[in-house]
Amino acid sequence: MEKQTYRIIFLPLLAGTVFAWLSVANDFLRFAKIEGTIFKIQDCFTPNPVTTPCFYGAIAFLIALIWVIKIGKKELPAQIKNIKRLLILLVAGNIFAWTNMTLELLRFYGAQTTEVIGCSGQLITNPFLTPCFFGSTIFLLSLISAIVVLRDLKHQ
């Protein structure tokens, strides 16, 4: 894979991985400050980060990033085959991310009160400024970039 083509798929996944893990780390710090531990799962004031969609999205981003790094070291036929498989993960990640974002929007706009807690355990003031929205958007960008790279590789 050419370096320029490789960057098209690598950079959004790198950005998504960094963003997601920074969000999760922030969630863990906030949770530990409130609960005094990171090991409490039940009866918590805010959800433990390991029980939030943000945590699982971060894992999906990391898996996809590692996969892309390995794809970059393979020969062209294997790259095409692996990117097709990666697309399955990215489609699943998009379904997961946008479903959670939709649920967050429904909770926010359907709330009778002004206080709604988002999927990362933070109070939502604007659903389009949440980690869930940014993560979903980066997942979509990653999917689009993988489709573009696959199309480019097939034409080589």
Side-chain angles (χ1 to χ4, degrees), residues 12-46:
L13 287 172
L14 177 63
T17 302
V18 170
F19 175 79
W21 283 104
L22 286 174
S23 294
V24 169
N26 187 38
D27 292 346
F28 270 111
L29 291 172
R30 185 180 346 90
F31 182 81
K33 185 177 180 181
I34 293 169
E35 298 293 340
T37 180
I38 61 168
F39 299 108
K40 188 176 176 186
I41 301 291
Q42 295 179 337
D43 302 322
C44 304
F45 183 72
T46 62

Side-chain angles (χ1 to χ4, degrees), residues 15-105:
T17 302
V18 170
F19 175 79
W21 283 104
L22 286 174
S23 294
V24 169
N26 187 38
D27 292 346
F28 270 111
L29 291 172
R30 185 180 346 90
F31 182 81
K33 185 177 180 181
I34 293 169
E35 298 293 340
T37 180
I38 61 168
F39 299 108
K40 188 176 176 186
I41 301 291
Q42 295 179 337
D43 302 322
C44 304
F45 183 72
T46 62
N48 185 313
V50 299
T51 65
T52 64
C54 195
F55 180 75
Y56 295 101
I59 290 172
F61 267 124
L62 184 60
I63 290 169
L65 180 66
I66 292 168
W67 200 344
V68 164
I69 291 169
K70 289 184 177 192
I71 289 172
K73 297 176 183 178
K74 297 183 182 288
E75 296 298 320
L76 185 62
Q79 288 176 346
I80 292 172
K81 181 179 174 183
N82 277 279
I83 289 177
K84 285 180 181 178
R85 290 179 179 164
L86 175 66
L87 282 173
I88 296 168
L89 173 64
L90 293 175
V91 166
N94 269 277
I95 291 169
F96 178 76
W98 287 105
T99 298
N100 283 302
M101 183 60 204
T102 301
L103 293 172
E104 199 167 271
L105 283 169

